[in-house]
Amino acid sequence: MLFIFRAAFWIAVVAAFAPAGFYAPEDGAFAREARAILSTPAREAAQAASGTGDRAAEDLCEGHGELCAVGRSLASFAGVMTEMAAERTRTALDDRASAHRDAEREARRAEEIFARAAGEPAR
């Protein structure tokens, strides 16, 4: 999970320093490298494990059933961990909001006590 945050941070940093009109041509070196990365066997295995692959990915799973099973297990585990992290984050945010509301109530209550003690009218 931390990797995702780090990746998002560094992508934002690089994007902040990229020139405003920056683009990569479709036939340039960047596009060739991206196509090479996207056609790796690992990508095909990941597609096959997630069930969104094409025929080549299905062929890979036929020959490497254990690899696909591990990929499915990892995908399932990642989903469970993501849900757990999201739930903990929601709980922490709710707790923090509740503590903030409680602190505000205490501050108002203290303010009212001091106002009564000073003989000021109630608000």
Side-chain angles (χ1 to χ4, degrees):
M1 186 74 178
L2 186 60
F3 170 77
I4 294 170
F5 293 130
R6 285 181 179 170
F9 170 78
W10 286 112
I11 289 171
V13 168
V14 170
F17 290 106
F22 178 77
Y23 73 97
E26 292 184 24
D27 60 345
F30 180 78
R32 285 191 302 272
E33 287 297 320
R35 275 195 230 70
I37 290 171
L38 291 177
S39 65
T40 62
R43 171 122 165 94
E44 292 171 2
Q47 284 179 338
S50 68
T52 61
D54 54 0
R55 182 70 191 145
E58 291 172 10
D59 290 342
L60 182 68
C61 267
E62 275 182 24
H64 301 85
E66 298 85 17
L67 178 66
C68 291
V70 168
R72 286 186 198 99
S73 296
L74 287 174
S76 174
F77 178 72
V80 168
M81 299 303 336
T82 302
E83 287 297 319
M84 190 169 67
E87 183 60 33
R88 285 186 180 182
T89 302
R90 278 188 225 107
T91 302
L93 289 173
D94 290 344
D95 291 347
R96 184 174 176 153
S98 176
H100 184 67
R101 284 191 300 269
D102 292 344
E104 284 181 356
R105 279 191 218 117
E106 289 295 321
R108 286 190 202 122
R109 196 173 309 145
E111 191 174 300
E112 290 171 4
I113 292 170
F114 286 127
R116 271 189 261 137
E120 296 177 2
R123 293 184 190 181

